[in-house]
Amino acid sequence: MTSIASTARPDAPIGVFDSGVGGLSVLRHIRAQLPQEDVMYFADSAYAPYGDKTEHQVIDRSLAITAFLLQQGAKALVVACNTATIAAIKALRARYPDLPIVGVEPGLKPAASISRNGKIAVLATERALRGDKLLALREQVSAATGATFILQPCIGLADRIEQCALGNDPLDATSAMLERYIAPMLELGVDTLVLGCTHYPFVQDAITRTVRAHTQETITLVDTGDAVARQLARLLDAASLRRTSNDAPQLQGYTTASVEALAKAFAGLLDLQPPVAHLSV
């Protein structure tokens, strides 16, 4: 088998995928830190949300999408979805050992270093919070720092944010859901909230309003998109794959659902108008 590392070119694009539009929060950080890079963004919206799929289903989707992105010449892969990272990144690395792959995981380590009282809430999908990878990380960070992590499944929130991004859902309905999930955490005295799903940064203002309605204490929100972009930059540099061309960087969107919906999300969430194509993968 030909090594991907030996055939990839610095001017090749980076592949990014998520179950829907949540990964656009990670794309925002990638474009800020690596502005010269070409990027392909794949929204698997026809199969969203991943949170209610079996691990086997998520692995199958992740392998199929990665194969497509590699056919399009991707030099590196960002799994911009917590659920897909937890379920599938081991299988992706086994299948493509030479491919630079970055996953996202809830920011437990940075949260532990930031928290003043060691009480931290992790907001994520039910599937992500059940994953062995996250539970092992919680044990490791707790043992090292003494921090207590309270896991709060936010059932339906990613789907609700997806609808908000597409203009199909009133924000007050999302705010009611945030109230239900966040208020009990604040009552337990947490001072740090980990946004453990790539969708959640898009309602950061609404989360802050919910927090302010309950406490004037300083509550820190942790979004790991910035760390993902930094790790991607490190891997590209290590493989000598950083793009140096002065040509304008290209962004291409792909979706398994509505082209119009993804275009609307690009415009509404990132103020971008890239070409978007529909695929059956």
Side-chain angles (χ1 to χ4, degrees):
M1 187 173 74
T2 304
S3 165
I4 289 169
S6 67
T7 58
R9 305 180 323 276
D11 60 351
I14 295 161
V16 181
F17 82 88
D18 180 34
S19 60
V21 303
L24 293 177
S25 69
V26 177
L27 177 65
R28 178 171 55 186
H29 287 287
I30 292 171
R31 284 175 58 84
Q33 291 197 35
L34 296 163
Q36 75 282 15
E37 297 288 347
D38 289 348
V39 182
M40 300 178 288
Y41 182 86
F42 192 114
D44 196 22
S45 299
Y47 295 86
Y50 279 179
D52 62 8
K53 304 293 186 291
T54 66
E55 183 174 289
H56 183 71
Q57 287 173 315
V58 176
I59 290 171
D60 281 351
R61 294 305 304 155
S62 299
L63 288 169
I65 292 164
T66 300
F68 168 78
L69 292 170
L70 290 174
Q71 286 166 7
Q72 305 309 304
K75 66 182 177 183
L77 179 73
V78 177
V79 185
C81 171
N82 292 80
T83 302
T85 297
I86 287 165
I89 201 161
K90 189 175 176 182
L92 289 169
R93 287 179 171 146
R95 178 75 60 89
Y96 303 108
D98 296 320
L99 179 67
I101 300 177
V102 184
V104 296
E105 63 180 24
L108 274 59
K109 290 176 189 174
S113 67
I114 290 166
S115 175
R116 301 178 308 284
N117 66 9
K119 292 181 182 177
I120 299 158
V122 183
L123 310 177
T125 66
E126 195 172 23
R127 170 161 290 285
L129 294 179
R130 285 203 312 265
D132 292 342
K133 192 167 186 265
L134 183 135
L135 296 175
L137 180 65
R138 179 177 70 165
E139 294 307 311
Q140 175 196 337
V141 179
S142 290
T145 66
T148 298
F149 294 98
I150 304 162
L151 306 184
Q152 174 61 66
C154 299
I155 297 163
L157 181 58
D159 208 29
R160 182 81 69 183
I161 293 166
E162 192 96 4
Q163 295 306 311
C164 276
L166 306 180
N168 300 332
D169 193 65
L171 189 56
D172 57 356
T174 305
S175 296
M177 191 175 270
L178 289 171
E179 174 77 20
R180 194 159 71 245
Y181 294 137
I182 292 172
M185 298 296 99
L186 298 173
E187 287 172 15
L188 291 172
V190 305
D191 72 353
T192 306
L193 297 175
V194 176
L195 307 184
C197 172
T198 54
H199 283 75
Y200 300 171
F202 286 123
V203 290
Q204 198 158 322
D205 288 348
I207 291 171
T208 299
R209 283 195 298 274
T210 302
V211 168
R212 283 288 148 264
H214 290 272
T215 180
Q216 292 307 306
E217 297 290 324
T218 300
I219 306 296
T220 305
L221 307 184
V222 178
D223 164 19
T224 55
D226 183 60
V228 170
R230 285 201 307 273
Q231 175 65 2
L232 175 61
R234 281 194 290 269
L235 291 183
L236 292 178
D237 286 340
S240 299
L241 287 174
R242 183 84 76 108
R243 184 173 183 261
T244 56
S245 169
N246 291 324
D247 295 341
Q250 303 297 307
L251 176 61
Q252 171 70 51
Y254 296 105
T255 179
T256 50
S258 162
V259 166
E260 293 75 15
L262 181 56
K264 196 171 185 178
F266 269 117
L269 296 173
L270 300 183
D271 197 23
L272 296 171
Q273 288 81 34
V276 177
H278 176 267
L279 296 170
S280 296
V281 170

